[in-house]
Amino acid sequence: MDTRKMFLSIAEALMIYGLIAFSYGILVIHVAQTWSGDWPVDRNLTWLTLDTFVIASFALSFFGFIAWRYLKYAEKTG
């Protein structure tokens, strides 16, 4: 099993699904017009409000993109 390709796939999935979740959060903010962020995403996770969800999703996609670029560069040079 090639671990570099596995990590490359994981980083790509984090980037894609993070952007999908980020887009969903932005869409919900605009449709529901809740700018305060007091709207919980899940009633069992009261600390996870909509604004926290959007920020975490963006950070997930950003770090997934950085890891994906690094792994692609390392694959090309190595």
Side-chain angles (χ1 to χ4, degrees), residues 11-65:
E12 189 174 1
L14 287 176
M15 179 178 62
I16 291 170
Y17 289 120
L19 282 176
I20 289 171
F22 174 74
S23 302
Y24 168 76
I26 295 296
L27 180 71
V28 168
I29 284 173
H30 286 294
V31 168
Q33 298 200 358
T34 72
W35 309 111
S36 64
D38 292 336
W39 186 51
V41 177
D42 187 7
R43 75 180 129 179
N44 297 325
L45 300 172
T46 56
W47 59 269
L48 186 61
T49 56
L50 188 58
D51 55 348
T52 308
F53 174 74
V54 169
I55 291 169
S57 299
F58 181 76
L60 185 70
S61 68
F62 183 72
F63 291 125
F65 176 73

Side-chain angles (χ1 to χ4, degrees), residues 1-12 68 71 75:
M1 183 163 125
D2 190 9
T3 58
R4 181 176 286 179
K5 287 189 179 186
M6 182 185 69
F7 285 130
L8 187 66
S9 299
I10 290 171
E12 189 174 1
W68 179 74
L71 289 169
E75 183 179 59

Side-chain angles (χ1 to χ4, degrees), residues 4 8 68-78:
R4 181 176 286 179
L8 187 66
W68 179 74
R69 289 287 300 213
Y70 173 75
L71 289 169
K72 287 294 270 186
Y73 178 75
E75 183 179 59
K76 189 186 321 180
T77 60

